[in-house]
Amino acid sequence: GERVVDIRAHEKGERFEELPMENFEGHTRAFIKVQDGCDRRCAYCVIPRARGASRSRSEESVVQELTALAAAGYKEVVLSGINLPSYGKDTGTDLVSLIEAAARVEGIERIRLGSLEPDLLSDEAIARMAAVKELCPQFHLSLQSGCTATLRRMRRVYTAEEYARVVEKLRAAFGGFASFTTDVIVGFPGETEDEFAESLAFVCAQKFLKVHVFPYSRRAGTPAADFPGQLTEAQKADRVHRLQTAADEVRGALAREMLGTEDTVLLEKAVSGSLFTGYTRLYLPVAVKAPGAAAGQIVTARLTEWDGERARAEVI
Ligand code: SF4
């Protein structure tokens, strides 16, 4: 009847723990974790202590699983990790090589990537990624703040300007057909109203398709937990609301700009006989009228309306 909690501490050089895929969305998109842990030390983050150093799943094992998924009918996969661009640093390979290998698996038609650290995307990596036609041009680039002074205190390793340059490079490499999503923390210790305003203006200028806004959360054992200038929960909630409202307006404007354009949609769920929900390559949620089609099929559709939640589209 005794409760035992016995957790082995992480050690340098430990190997990736093989796990089968994490979850499925319907039977169309599978999430595969290919990397774990992180070698960085952002001031607010417990992950390096909780998950240990960066380590990668072997390319062979990932390809094996992708082959099985493709055989089971999955067309889209999301490669994910705690610090995904670190993939392969411990095994002598790199993330782009893994993407290229995934694209060679017959039946895998769409590849998406989990969260990316902007400073780890070199010009060469971006150019090679742009050459993989199966890679959806939708990038979740971790930002955390659009104010360089706040980024410094967070111990992030890029400036807001450097971040913006990576976005520009990705956009250019994909011929202007790319979308970006991100995470932002508001109310980090010492974040002044001016710094928050700078972050908000930066976020709006990047034209993210989606922004996940989080209030700073004080985690015991992290340096930031003891930083001076902790904000109240009410101050943080107010900033979350202001930033999320502004970011959602940008999302609506971007979605409306896309009306009239065409993109492919992976039909995920049948809502009625001929109406399906799914996502475009740019990760815009859509409801597609596709008579005679079936879930799991990829169709080309034209976006016709935006209702604030998802776009309406018609198969061409
Ligand atoms: S925020 Fe991301 S990059 Fe920074 S320490 Fe945590 S997992 Fe690593």
Side-chain angles (χ1 to χ4, degrees):
E2 192 188 347
R3 185 169 172 206
V4 178
V5 179
D6 183 0
I7 302 168
R8 229 179 305 155
H10 286 292
E11 289 166 2
K12 232 185 154 78
E14 71 184 299
R15 301 188 50 189
F16 185 89
E17 184 188 0
E18 295 274 340
L19 292 169
M21 84 195 79
E22 290 196 313
N23 59 59
F24 308 93
E25 274 181 17
H27 273 279
T28 47
R29 180 185 304 125
F31 291 74
I32 304 183
K33 186 166 170 179
V34 300
Q35 182 276 339
D36 201 356
C38 183
D39 297 332
R40 296 204 155 162
R41 293 291 180 270
C42 298
Y44 52 82
C45 185
V46 288
I47 284 176
R49 284 194 342 154
R51 309 293 279 261
S54 177
R55 52 212 186 273
S56 313
R57 184 172 175 181
S58 78
E59 188 176 299
E60 191 191 353
S61 154
V62 175
V63 166
Q64 243 172 35
E65 186 162 359
L66 289 175
T67 307
L69 284 168
Y74 289 87
K75 291 195 169 79
E76 182 171 314
V77 290
V78 184
L79 305 178
S80 73
I82 296 289
N83 189 334
L84 190 58
S86 296
Y87 177 84
K89 286 197 189 331
D90 55 327
T91 49
T93 173
D94 58 64
L95 178 63
V96 187
S97 300
L98 182 71
I99 297 169
E100 290 164 347
R104 286 193 291 271
V105 174
E106 209 173 311
I108 297 297
E109 296 183 32
R110 283 175 156 199
I111 300 165
R112 293 189 193 273
L113 303 175
S115 184
L116 298 168
E117 290 291 304
D119 61 292
L120 293 175
L121 296 177
S122 66
D123 291 357
E124 192 219 329
I126 290 173
R128 281 171 61 202
M129 278 158 64
V132 180
K133 68 174 185 3
E134 290 81 0
L135 181 64
C136 291
Q138 171 246 324
F139 302 99
H140 188 85
L141 272 189
S142 179
L143 174 63
Q144 310 307 354
S145 173
C147 163
T148 297
T150 311
L151 287 170
R152 287 273 174 266
R153 288 201 306 284
M154 289 176 163
R155 301 184 187 165
R156 301 287 290 168
V157 294
Y158 50 84
T159 65
E161 293 67 34
E162 284 163 351
Y163 181 99
R165 273 201 291 280
V166 174
V167 171
E168 264 170 41
K169 282 180 191 172
L170 278 164
R171 253 192 235 287
F174 285 82
F177 187 75
S179 66
F180 297 87
T181 57
T182 199
D183 298 317
V184 178
I185 297 171
V186 298
F188 188 73
E191 186 188 64
T192 63
E193 183 55 37
D194 282 352
E195 287 181 350
F196 171 70
E198 193 180 324
S199 185
L200 187 147
F202 181 86
V203 168
C204 291
Q206 296 311 302
K207 295 197 168 182
F208 290 111
L209 187 57
K210 181 119 185 142
V211 182
H212 302 272
V213 185
F214 300 94
Y216 165 70
S217 167
R218 211 169 174 172
R219 304 264 182 230
T222 61
D226 298 322
F227 283 0
Q230 301 283 337
L231 279 82
T232 64
E233 293 309 312
Q235 285 171 315
K236 289 187 253 180
D238 172 59
R239 290 183 186 179
V240 168
H241 176 71
R242 283 151 65 197
L243 182 52
Q244 194 68 69
T245 304
D248 289 347
E249 274 170 25
V250 171
R251 174 176 171 80
L254 272 183
R256 282 188 292 275
E257 269 174 32
M258 289 181 198
L259 298 182
T261 62
E262 295 169 13
D263 197 356
T264 59
V265 179
L266 171 59
L267 305 178
E268 295 184 22
K269 217 168 122 189
V271 183
S272 68
S274 62
L275 192 67
F276 297 84
T277 53
Y279 285 87
T280 63
R281 276 180 304 162
L282 295 183
Y283 212 60
L284 192 71
V286 288
V288 194
K289 219 191 285 169
Q297 218 175 309
I298 294 178
V299 298
T300 303
R302 182 178 293 117
L303 306 175
T304 57
E305 256 178 75
W306 171 250
D307 68 8
E309 292 288 323
R310 61 177 80 237
R312 289 271 165 169
E314 281 178 6
V315 166
I316 296 166

